[in-house]
Structure formats: structure tokens, C-alpha cells
Amino acid sequence: IVESVGEGVTDVKPGDHVLPIFTGECKECRHCKSEESNMCDLLRINTDRGVMLNDGKSRFSINGQPIFHFVGTSTFSEYTVLHVGCLAKINPEAPLDKVCVLSCGISTGLGATLNVAKPKKGSTVAIFGLGAVGLAAAEGARIAGASRIIGVDLNPKRFDEARKFGVTEFVNPKDYNKPVQEVIAEMTGGGVDRSVECTGSVMAMMSAFECVHD
């Protein structure tokens, strides 16, 4: 909940309910104006910056020593200070303990599927990694009307939960003695229509790329 605003801030006011987002938007640069990217020139993820943009200083300290702003949000503290472009205003009726997950995992996976991969109705989709981002990606594929959603994960304990998000089939790469992309290609008659990689592993990225049909 916004407690106070700095000089010149007009997008939000005290009392507004907001979500902090570490991939902020200035709304002016080419990326913010593009439908294909939100990697803002001003507010993109920067783990090294740690200070406010307007004066290059931190707003936190302890015993006279500065504490830096973690990825522009510092959400491990009860009160924080951040650039207005790193806030998304939300409906005050929305329960904060539920919508907090929309700041990162849900929007990442859902957005990657619906806005970038854009699977067509009846298509096949492979989701690599069934953590929070992967489950949201699967939900995006379900919403888009995918007929088969293949979840790929090394942890079989995630499979039951993933079914609730639309995953129809599961592949554990450890169960096979050949690359998982070959397994998926055989399952789908040459490869899936779309794949979404949600682990950050370079090996998984390669598999995700190679499991898509020609």
C-alpha cells in the first residue's frame, strides 16, 4: 500500500494498492512502446545498481552505512522506496496475500505463453520446469486452448500439482536413456508446436528448442 509519494509522482497516490515489479516500465523508451518486449531501457533488471535513479543514492541505512536496493524493489523489508515505474496499480478489492504472486512468477509464465509463444487452439505445448513460472506457463497454454500440454521436470512430486494447471502428460528426463527432446518428438510425431523453458538451464533451453517440430 502506497504510504507517500515523491515530488513529481502522479501515477499513484497514498492509499493506492500496488504490486512491486523488478522489470519496471518508464513508458517512454522503445521497449516500453513495443508489443514484443518490456525490457525497459531505464528500469530493466539491474542487480548492480542498488540506488535510486534520480540522485544515485540509497534510501536505506543501518548504523550510518547504506543498504542498497535489491533489484530496484527491496521487498524483503516491511517498508521500501522504489521508482514509480516499478509499481503496478491494482484493484483495492483484490486480497494482497493472494495477488502478491502476480508480481513475478505468474505474470512471467502466463505472459511468456500468451503474449510471446501464442499457441493456437488445439496445438501441442511443452513446458520445461514445473515450478511457479512453469505452472503459470501451463495455465497460459490451457487458456489458449492447447490440446496437449507436456510437462518436463526432474521432480515427479510436481506432477500432481501441475495437472491442476492443465498439464496433460509428463516426462521426467531421468526415466529415459536418450535426450528428452527425442522423447517428446516421438510422443508428438515430430515435435511440439510451441515450447516454453522455465528453468534457466542452458541444457533445458537446448532441449526446449530441439523438441519443437521443423
Side-chain angles (χ1 to χ4, degrees), residues 61 63 100 107 115 149 153 165 197 210:
S61 66
N63 298 327
C100 57
S107 53
N115 299 331
I149 303 171
D153 202 292
F165 293 84
E197 196 285 310
E210 293 177 358

Side-chain angles (χ1 to χ4, degrees), residues 89-125:
K89 195 167 155 182
I90 62 170
N91 189 323
E93 298 296 314
L96 293 173
D97 63 334
K98 302 291 193 302
V99 296
C100 57
V101 295
L102 295 174
S103 281
C104 183
I106 305 297
S107 53
T108 302
L110 197 75
T113 304
L114 291 178
N115 299 331
V116 183
K118 298 178 181 177
K120 292 181 172 59
K121 191 171 184 178
S123 61
T124 56
V125 180

Side-chain angles (χ1 to χ4, degrees), residues 23-104:
T23 307
E25 295 188 8
C26 71
K27 301 181 182 177
E28 300 295 330
C29 72
R30 59 179 178 164
H31 290 291
C32 285
K33 292 180 177 179
S34 166
E35 293 182 358
E36 297 184 348
S37 167
N38 69 334
M39 300 303 292
C40 176
D41 285 336
L42 181 69
L43 297 172
R44 70 173 61 200
I45 298 169
N46 184 338
T47 56
D48 296 323
R49 187 167 60 226
V51 292
M52 298 299 288
L53 288 168
N54 66 327
D55 61 4
K57 296 179 180 178
S58 168
R59 296 295 184 270
F60 307 114
S61 66
I62 185 168
N63 298 327
Q65 296 299 311
I67 297 175
F68 296 104
H69 296 244
F70 180 65
V71 288
T73 57
S74 292
T75 51
F76 290 129
S77 60
E78 293 173 334
Y79 290 85
T80 186
V81 183
L82 60 169
H83 192 287
V84 68
C86 291
L87 289 176
K89 195 167 155 182
I90 62 170
N91 189 323
E93 298 296 314
L96 293 173
D97 63 334
K98 302 291 193 302
V99 296
C100 57
V101 295
L102 295 174
S103 281
C104 183

Side-chain angles (χ1 to χ4, degrees), residues 138-208:
E139 176 71 3
R142 186 193 66 78
I143 291 171
S147 62
R148 297 176 70 184
I149 303 171
I150 302 168
V152 182
D153 202 292
L154 298 172
N155 183 0
K157 292 180 180 178
R158 290 179 164 181
F159 293 167
D160 285 342
E161 188 70 18
R163 284 191 179 89
K164 301 175 186 176
F165 293 84
V167 177
T168 58
E169 299 157 73
F170 301 95
V171 175
N172 183 341
K174 292 192 289 189
D175 291 342
Y176 301 89
N177 56 8
K178 56 186 170 183
V180 68
Q181 54 265 40
E182 293 181 13
V183 175
I184 294 173
E186 290 175 5
M187 291 171 61
T188 55
V192 294
D193 299 303
R194 300 284 191 275
S195 71
V196 186
E197 196 285 310
C198 305
T199 72
S201 159
V202 174
M203 294 302 293
M205 291 176 196
M206 292 169 61
S207 297

